[in-house]
Amino acid sequence: MPAVRVLLGHPAESLRLPWSVPLASFSLEIDALSAFFLVAIFGLSALAAAYGGGAWRAGPGRRGAAAWLAFNLLVASMALVVAARNGILFLFAWEMMTLASWFLVTLHHDRDEARRAGRIYLIAAHIGTAFLLVFFLGLAGVAPTLDFGLSGAPAASTPAAGAFLGPSALFLLAVVGFGTKAGFMPLHMWLPEAHPAAPAHVSAVMSGVMIKMGIYGLLRMLPYLGPPPAWWGWLLIAIGLVSGILGVLYALAQHELKRLLAYHSIENIGIIAGGMGLGLLGTAYGTPFLAALGFSGALLHVWNHAMFKGLLFLGAGSVIHATGTGEIEHLGGLLRRMPWTGAAFLTGALAISGLPPLNGFVSEFLIYLGSFQAAAAAPGSMALAGMALIAGLALIGGLAAACFVKAFGIAFLGEPRSARASEARESGVLLRAPMAILAALCLAIGLMAPWLLPLLQPALPYGAAFPAPALAAGFGTATTILTRVTAVAGLFLLLVLAAVVLRRALLARRGVRRSGTWDCGYALPTPRMQYTASSFAQPILEVFAPLLGTRVSSLKPMGLFPDKASHATETPDSFRERVVAPIAAEVARRVAPFRRIQEGRVQVYVLYIALTLVAVLVYQFLVNP
């Protein structure tokens, strides 16, 4: 409730308690930016918990209580991350979030893929945390406190930006540290492994809100680094385009539902990064309209992605619950057997593809609008940035639509490709209700976006750097354009509903005879005659084959009466195979000698802890004698 009150315009709420930890204080605050993320955290987590209760009605065995404890810890730690106003407290919450989610990823630790996903996630998360530790130390400089961002305090009372490291060095540390959690390419290695390994409702929370903690961290910390140079915006735009385009291409190449959705998370994080980059460029060049559109599009996409990605993961979980598999090649014909789940998944697919009148369209439209403004009216590099974003967003949108035509068409339409798919039954009401609510929210935000824009204005980073009238004028222009667009979309939706109602009314008193349509000669279609996921994606993947390195195994039909033919594709993650794996192997070789300190004796480990405490006390004495 405090978050909703703050979003509606009430003053920020804060709490400060003594905490006997060096450099630390238990400082909490809910301002507009924190409130914006808290609404997403608690909203999606509550729906995911209800879904998880339905899915786990039979219970995951003895792990059930521990799993719910970890789930609650994950939600609490995310809330603490966005409310913390002290670096030590922030890192404490960040680490608690990592450990709770790691436990949920490895919940089924009897499976090799879960253990492997857990290892990769834990290593990647702690590399990111190490960068954040250096970032906070650099941000604090020689100040005796790591407090930051308490509202009402003037900027000068915050730690001196760049006192220990320069602002640009701190910015790069923040991009790596927060970007690892967000899933920026090429820091995304953990994401396609961890999300498929976790239960569906946990994947929904991890993808929908947990990775956004990286976005929150960047948005929160950027203003403390001082006025941004233009190259910061360029860097985020480049990261956004690489993440968005490669993320959706890798998603198109996947044939397992949850792994496909995991790569789409990278794609959408790329869209958010692109919006932030546009906002930074607008800030650097003193263009309030551009900054407002870029940051607003990024912020609104945080909410929107939480909703439609949560919806899609819950839909995938229902499919796996009903069929025992997420392999698209083994599904088919589910829409007739699971109409509620199919309708919900279709809604999420349309939203993530950026089609009106759903919410995904609105946030991307704001970034489009800013990009067109930059391309048309801004000079030099800003025009180039605008054109790059327009081309990138168009390519991402087209590829995302193709990917979800594949996912929905192969999984829900046609004939079942396996016995489990033919026997699938609709999920229970506890699983359907959260999906229905999320689908309704996707539509509601798409139609009510003009009224949501005022909620975003107080949450914008660098908002105080612009004159209030100029910022308000920028929001007013965006609201006017968005009102016209959503009005057209709403009118189209009403026309469709009116046509459905009119058809029902006209046919109500007439006899209706059902018959099969012309079948093009396929009188007895079988699952083997249908397009597979591989064959559907092949034409697009061939265009990008040099970039993706797709491996194809094909057995072409031979002779007049061929008895066998097959076509399969596999697209390994190029960053993992060509960059991360060689680096990891080299690091493992170099650090192997240090394994000697792993004695296996408790006494030695106690000595390590004592030495660490002595080092911390000495540091504290030197810094604050």
Side-chain angles (χ1 to χ4, degrees):
M1 290 306 295
V4 175
R5 283 201 301 270
V6 170
L7 268 188
L8 294 176
H10 286 74
E13 300 188 15
S14 59
L15 172 68
R16 187 181 177 92
L17 298 173
W19 196 23
S20 55
V21 175
L23 299 175
S25 67
F26 197 88
S27 301
L28 303 177
E29 185 175 82
I30 301 176
D31 61 4
L33 183 61
S34 298
F36 188 84
F37 280 83
L38 281 173
V39 169
I41 291 170
F42 287 126
L44 180 60
S45 299
L47 293 172
Y51 180 97
W56 281 357
R57 179 172 287 181
R62 288 174 296 178
R63 303 167 188 158
W68 280 118
L69 175 62
F71 183 86
N72 290 330
L73 276 176
L74 174 61
V75 177
S77 59
M78 287 190 292
L80 189 56
V81 163
V82 300
R85 292 296 183 272
N86 176 271
I88 300 295
L89 181 61
F90 183 94
L91 290 175
F92 172 78
W94 192 267
E95 186 66 9
M96 190 166 72
M97 176 176 68
T98 298
L99 294 179
S101 53
W102 170 79
F103 179 86
L104 292 166
V105 168
T106 57
L107 186 62
H108 300 291
H109 52 77
D110 48 339
R111 302 175 185 169
D112 289 341
E113 61 268 22
R115 292 198 298 272
R116 180 172 178 274
R119 278 197 304 273
I120 294 174
Y121 176 45
L122 206 58
I123 293 171
H126 284 102
I127 290 174
T129 303
F131 276 84
L132 290 183
L133 183 60
V134 179
F135 168 79
F136 276 107
L137 290 175
L139 187 67
V142 295
T145 176
L146 283 174
D147 287 351
F148 62 87
L150 289 169
S151 70
S157 70
T158 60
F164 187 67
L165 292 171
S168 292
L170 290 173
F171 171 73
L172 292 175
L173 286 169
V175 168
V176 176
F178 292 121
T180 304
K181 183 66 75 179
F184 287 169
M185 275 196 174
L187 309 170
H188 68 287
M189 289 297 105
W190 66 272
L191 206 151
E193 305 295 331
H195 286 187
H201 65 290
V202 175
S203 301
V205 171
M206 290 179 69
S207 179
V209 287
M210 194 193 78
I211 63 173
K212 310 296 174 34
M213 296 301 100
I215 300 297
Y216 166 80
L218 270 178
L219 290 172
R220 170 64 67 189
M221 296 302 168
L222 279 174
Y224 299 105
L225 305 183
W231 72 266
W232 292 9
W234 268 107
L235 179 64
L236 284 185
I237 288 175
I239 290 174
L241 291 177
V242 170
S243 301
I245 295 172
L246 288 181
V248 72
L249 280 174
Y250 281 121
L252 187 60
Q254 306 305 314
H255 307 317
E256 202 277 333
L257 270 179
K258 290 178 72 178
R259 185 173 291 272
L260 178 150
L261 295 177
Y263 274 108
H264 271 291
S265 293
I266 299 169
E267 169 223 330
N268 281 275
I269 284 294
I271 294 173
I272 294 171
M276 292 168 60
L278 190 66
L280 279 177
L281 275 183
T283 307
Y285 287 107
T287 312
F289 183 56
L290 206 58
L293 288 177
F295 284 127
S296 299
L299 272 174
L300 192 55
H301 207 70
V302 167
W303 265 14
N304 293 339
H305 181 251
M307 289 172 198
F308 58 64
K309 186 49 69 65
L311 173 59
L312 288 167
F313 264 116
L314 298 187
S318 289
V319 169
I320 295 171
H321 186 71
T323 64
T325 181
E327 290 291 336
I328 301 175
E329 306 285 23
H330 298 162
L331 302 175
L334 294 181
L335 189 59
R336 281 175 289 176
R337 294 160 180 80
M338 305 175 68
W340 284 88
T341 300
F345 195 91
L346 179 62
T347 304
L350 295 174
I352 199 173
S353 300
L355 298 177
L358 296 163
N359 58 346
F361 165 78
V362 177
S363 45
E364 290 190 33
F365 178 78
L366 289 174
I367 301 175
Y368 265 119
L369 194 58
S371 302
F372 276 111
Q373 178 73 15
S381 62
M382 285 184 68
L384 187 59
M387 289 187 282
L389 269 177
I390 292 168
L393 288 174
L395 181 60
I396 291 168
L399 291 172
C403 185
F404 278 96
V405 168
K406 180 191 87 169
F408 184 80
I410 303 294
F412 286 93
L413 303 181
E415 296 295 323
R417 293 171 170 80
S418 66
R420 293 294 302 270
S422 65
E423 296 168 358
R425 295 290 179 270
E426 183 58 275
S427 304
V429 65
L430 281 179
L431 274 66
R432 295 200 306 267
M435 290 191 286
I437 293 172
L438 286 170
L441 286 173
C442 287
L443 181 61
I445 287 190
L447 296 175
M448 298 174 62
W451 293 274
L452 291 176
L453 281 185
L455 300 180
L456 302 176
Q457 186 171 350
L460 293 188
Y462 300 105
F466 296 107
L471 206 57
F475 268 95
T477 305
T479 303
T480 303
I481 298 173
L482 203 53
T483 301
R484 293 171 184 164
V485 173
T486 53
V488 172
L491 181 62
F492 174 75
L493 187 63
L494 286 176
L495 288 175
V496 171
L497 291 176
V500 172
V501 172
L502 181 62
R503 179 181 179 275
R504 284 179 174 271
L506 291 175
L507 296 179
R509 297 180 182 178
R510 299 174 59 181
V512 177
R513 185 167 59 91
R514 295 181 181 274
S515 61
T517 56
W518 181 49
D519 56 11
C520 302
Y522 293 97
L524 294 172
T526 68
R528 293 186 60 196
M529 299 166 65
Q530 301 176 111
Y531 260 78
T532 64
S534 295
S535 57
F536 184 92
Q538 181 192 6
I540 302 175
L541 295 180
E542 279 188 352
V543 175
F544 297 95
L547 184 64
L548 298 176
T550 301
R551 299 165 186 159
V552 179
S553 58
S554 179
L555 179 61
K556 295 182 179 179
M558 303 291 289
L560 295 176
F561 301 98
D563 57 350
K564 287 185 178 179
S566 64
H567 179 85
T569 59
E570 181 191 3
T571 305
D573 196 311
S574 300
F575 284 106
R576 184 179 61 203
E577 288 206 345
R578 300 174 185 174
V579 179
V580 176
I583 293 175
E586 181 63 21
V587 170
R589 187 181 68 80
R590 289 181 178 275
V591 303
F594 291 98
R595 296 189 65 180
R596 294 173 185 168
I597 64 174
Q598 188 179 0
E599 288 282 342
R601 286 184 293 179
V602 175
Q603 296 91 332
V604 176
Y605 296 146
V606 171
L607 177 62
Y608 294 160
I609 295 172
L611 290 175
T612 304
L613 288 175
V614 170
V616 170
L617 290 173
V618 169
Y619 173 79
Q620 174 67 12
F621 176 77
L622 293 176
V623 171
N624 190 17

